[in-house]
Each structure stands twice: as C-alpha cells, then as structure tokens.
C-alpha cells in the first residue's frame, strides 16, 4: 500500500515538473538560418532566439508522418505553411520587433516559441 502512495506522489511530481516547471533551452539563430526538425511529436529546437529587426530563415524538416505535423502556423506573423515530408521547407521571417511569437501545428499539439531580442 505504501508503495502505491509513493508511486502516485512521484508521478504527480513528474507531471508538475514536465508541464509547469520544465523550461527547454533556447537555441540562438546563427547566420540568419535555423534548421528545425519535426519528429516524434515535437519541434527540435522548440525555443528559438532571433535578433530583432533582422530577417531570418527557418528551415523545417519533417520526418513525422502525422497529418498534424504537416502544417506550421505562426499566428502573430500570419504565416501558415505546409511542410513536405522528408524535405526541407524554408519559411522566411520578416524583421521582427522585440517579443515572443508562438508557432504550432494546426491542432496545437506541436508547439514552439520564437523569441526576438
């Protein structure tokens, strides 16, 4: 009985850490281009740091067969792009003002953030 209670508490702690406390590392764009892989239900990297007021290329490579992974939306920039399977699809970001720009799939299951500084 004690084992079940301890397991339950550990599982709750893991869920709290994963959904509310875990902060993925930001990856900074170099040479104005970042390659983002779409695989296993996630964008890698998912947290991208770009320079403000500078155009940036995001090259998406999708190896995930899920239909949800086929579209990338950046609502704050009014960008919606179909991503080909096993091919590079490049999205050109305009010069961004300082701020955060979430991006996601059509069902918002795959998520990421572009941070402009």
């Amino acid at each position: 009985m004690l084992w079940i209670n301890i397991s339950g508490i550990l599982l709750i702690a893991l869920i709290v850490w994963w959904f509310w406390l875990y902060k993925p590392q930001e990856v900074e764009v170099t040479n104005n281009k970042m390659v983002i892989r779409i695989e296993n239900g996630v964008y890698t990297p998912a947290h991208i740091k770009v320079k403000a007021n500078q155009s940036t290329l995001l090259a998406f490579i999708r190896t995930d067969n899920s239909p949800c992974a086929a579209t990338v939306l950046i609502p704050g920039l009014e960008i919606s792009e179909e991503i080909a399977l096993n091919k590079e699809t490049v999205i050109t970001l305009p010069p961004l003002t300082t701020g955060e720009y979430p991006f996601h799939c059509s069902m918002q299951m795959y998520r990421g953030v572009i941070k402009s500084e």
Side-chain angles (χ1 to χ4, degrees):
M1 185 71 143
L2 180 62
W3 173 249
I4 293 172
N5 290 337
I6 291 172
S7 297
I9 290 170
L10 289 174
L11 184 58
I12 290 169
L14 178 65
I15 290 170
V16 167
W17 175 78
W18 181 258
F19 287 102
W20 292 286
L21 301 177
Y22 174 70
K23 299 291 181 200
Q25 182 179 356
E26 283 184 345
V27 177
E28 191 164 354
V29 172
T30 57
N31 299 325
N32 293 340
K33 184 176 180 180
M34 172 67 63
V35 175
I36 301 169
R37 298 198 173 279
I38 306 172
E39 56 191 357
N40 302 320
V42 296
Y43 296 119
T44 306
H47 291 260
I48 301 160
K49 188 173 170 183
V50 300
K51 292 182 181 175
N53 304 313
Q54 191 172 32
S55 181
T56 305
L57 300 176
L58 300 181
F60 287 87
I61 300 174
R62 177 171 74 103
T63 58
D64 194 325
N65 287 328
S66 169
C68 188
T71 305
V72 171
L73 301 164
I74 309 173
L77 301 175
E78 297 183 6
I79 293 174
S80 175
E81 191 74 36
E82 292 295 316
I83 309 298
L85 185 61
N86 297 316
K87 293 182 181 176
E88 184 177 271
T89 303
V90 178
I91 296 175
T92 302
L93 299 180
L96 303 176
T97 57
T98 301
E100 290 190 355
Y101 300 86
F103 63 97
H104 51 78
C105 69
S106 58
M107 294 173 45
Q108 297 189 27
M109 294 172 59
Y110 300 67
R111 295 173 175 232
V113 175
I114 301 163
K115 186 175 181 180
S116 178
E117 294 183 340

